[in-house]
């Protein structure tokens, strides 16, 4: 099954994609396209936000790159991945396809591996090898299917701080699942290099200054809950 099939058959998603394409047509910074082959660990904090809070952050930190994101999340028919808190996704970033596997760990961080592939089926073998997750190839042997998704615009900026470098991302759009949608408006602080403690201190100071509450559920978990009718 093609990675974008979740969106091809989803009327709400098609409408939002048309709106988002219009919104970013003259705003996209092509330098923001990330050609990645990432192995390792993701460390980030998320915060629920309002459009007003995002605007204040954008004003505070200056020019951001703008990226149109279209995400499809996958699972087995038996939901073996979500039951084990594993995330498998294909994301188009300004039309560029990146496939990602995330695994749960203790604390804030997660395992994360990414490869550039046009289809999720082309990425699974490589992602399994990179993650070295015992039993994962067997879990995926029967194939995967799209279960939910997200469409959003990301404003992203790299900040070099004392003790660390982070990416500050302002995400605005929708989460999709079960033929329904809910709004998405959040702020992410993702560690790129340096001290995790310094990144946490910066993120918490930012949340206090702009009165934002931490969002503990990932986009996938919220979209999956929508698909399940929870």
């Amino acid at each position: 099954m093609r990675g974008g099939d979740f969106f091809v058959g989803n009327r709400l998603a098609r409408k939002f994609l048309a709106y988002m394409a219009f919104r970013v047509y003259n705003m996209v910074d092509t330098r923001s396209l990330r050609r990645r082959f990432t192995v390792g660990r993701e460390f980030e904090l998320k915060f629920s936000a309002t459009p007003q809070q995002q605007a204040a952050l954008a004003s505070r930190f200056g020019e951001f790159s703008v990226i149109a994101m279209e995400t499809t999340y996958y699972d087995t028919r038996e939901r073996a991945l979500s039951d084990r808190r594993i995330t498998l996704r294909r994301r188009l970033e300004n039309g560029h396809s990146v496939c990602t596997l995330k695994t749960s760990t203790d604390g804030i961080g997660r395992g994360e591996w990414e490869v550039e592939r046009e289809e999720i089926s082309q990425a699974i073998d490589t992602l399994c090898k990179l993650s070295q997750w015992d039993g994962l190839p067997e879990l995926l042997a029967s194939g995967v299917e799209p279960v939910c998704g997200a469409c959003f615009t990301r404003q992203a900026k790299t900040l070099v701080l004392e003790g660390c470098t982070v990416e500050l991302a302002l995400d605005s759009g929708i989460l999709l699942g079960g033929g329904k949608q809910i709004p998405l408006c959040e702020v992410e602080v993702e560690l790129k290099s340096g001290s995790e403690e310094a990144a946490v201190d910066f993120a918490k100071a930012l949340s206090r200054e702009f009165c934002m509450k931490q969002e503990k559920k990932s986009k996938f978990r919220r979209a999956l809950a929508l698909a399940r009718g929870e």
Side-chain angles (χ1 to χ4, degrees), residues 159-166 191-196 198-200 202:
L159 302 175
V160 180
L161 309 170
E162 183 176 353
C164 68
T165 298
V166 302
L191 178 66
K192 293 301 182 182
S193 64
S195 165
E196 292 180 0
V200 170
F202 170 75

Side-chain angles (χ1 to χ4, degrees), residues 33-167:
L33 293 176
R34 289 175 285 175
R35 302 296 185 258
R36 299 176 300 187
F37 188 101
T38 303
V39 181
R41 185 168 180 263
E42 176 193 58
F43 187 89
E44 68 181 18
L45 289 89
K46 298 176 183 286
F47 301 93
S48 299
T50 65
Q52 293 76 19
Q53 288 167 324
Q54 286 190 341
L57 281 160
S59 177
R60 162 78 177 278
F61 289 100
E63 184 178 357
F64 284 66
S65 297
V66 180
I67 311 167
M69 301 283 201
E70 175 189 328
T71 304
T72 300
Y73 297 103
Y74 295 86
D75 206 340
T76 67
R77 185 175 297 275
E78 298 78 19
R79 303 299 182 254
L81 298 183
S82 55
D83 287 348
R84 292 166 174 80
R85 304 196 67 79
I86 299 172
T87 300
L88 180 65
R89 78 179 186 212
R90 174 181 180 261
R91 175 176 284 173
L92 294 179
E93 303 181 6
N94 287 345
H96 177 69
S97 180
V98 178
C99 298
T100 304
L101 177 72
K102 297 186 180 186
T103 60
S104 62
T105 60
D106 294 333
I108 298 174
R110 293 186 292 178
E112 181 183 43
W113 299 268
E114 297 183 332
V115 293
E116 297 179 4
R117 298 289 188 274
E118 287 302 315
E119 304 294 340
I120 198 69
S121 59
Q122 299 168 355
I124 286 176
D125 286 348
T126 300
L127 291 172
C128 286
K129 290 175 183 177
L130 289 172
S131 71
Q132 298 182 344
W133 185 281
D134 291 340
L136 187 56
E138 288 76 17
L139 285 178
L140 297 173
S142 61
V144 296
E145 60 186 21
V147 293
C148 54
C151 290
F152 58 98
T153 300
R154 168 165 290 177
Q155 300 178 72
K157 186 178 183 69
T158 299
L159 302 175
V160 180
L161 309 170
E162 183 176 353
C164 68
T165 298
V166 302
E167 181 182 79

